[in-house]
Amino acid sequence: MPRLAHTLQLATALLAAGAAWAGWHHHWPALAFLAYGTFYGGLLALGAGAPPTCCQISKHSNGQAHGAGCTRPPLPRRDTYRLTETERDAFEEITAGFDDRSAA
């Protein structure tokens, strides 16, 4: 986790402690201010720990799609399905009928 995220987490913890103290001593305006700062600082700390996105399309598609000018290198191909010779023959036999346009 980057240093910024740790700093924001520390600041959020201090704001939460201040909000607890203000609530205990019935300082309601201070409690409201510190509670808001705690909430906002927590959101910033969560965002600071996230890896940067490569382009706006990636940002809005949770990394599933990338724009044409995206600088992110392509992922290596991950073929996790390897067929044995027997399985490949069985697959070819099953799919051979798919090219046939006649009724089954």
Side-chain angles (χ1 to χ4, degrees), residues 37-50:
T38 301
F39 176 73
Y40 188 70
L43 290 176
L44 289 177
L46 287 175

Side-chain angles (χ1 to χ4, degrees), residues 5-97:
H6 286 296
T7 304
L8 289 171
Q9 286 176 346
L10 176 64
T12 301
L14 291 174
L15 285 171
W21 178 86
W24 184 261
H25 291 287
H26 304 288
H27 296 292
W28 306 122
L31 170 66
F33 176 75
L34 292 170
Y36 174 76
T38 301
F39 176 73
Y40 188 70
L43 290 176
L44 289 177
L46 287 175
T53 57
C54 51
C55 64
Q56 287 296 319
I57 295 175
S58 174
K59 180 179 178 181
H60 295 290
S61 68
N62 292 330
Q64 298 299 318
H66 298 279
C70 184
T71 58
R72 178 185 153 281
L75 291 174
R77 187 173 174 175
R78 289 181 261 175
D79 290 338
T80 56
Y81 56 93
R82 301 275 188 227
L83 299 177
T84 63
E85 190 65 34
T86 307
E87 292 170 335
R88 187 175 295 114
D89 291 340
F91 179 77
E92 291 298 326
E93 184 180 338
I94 291 169
T95 59

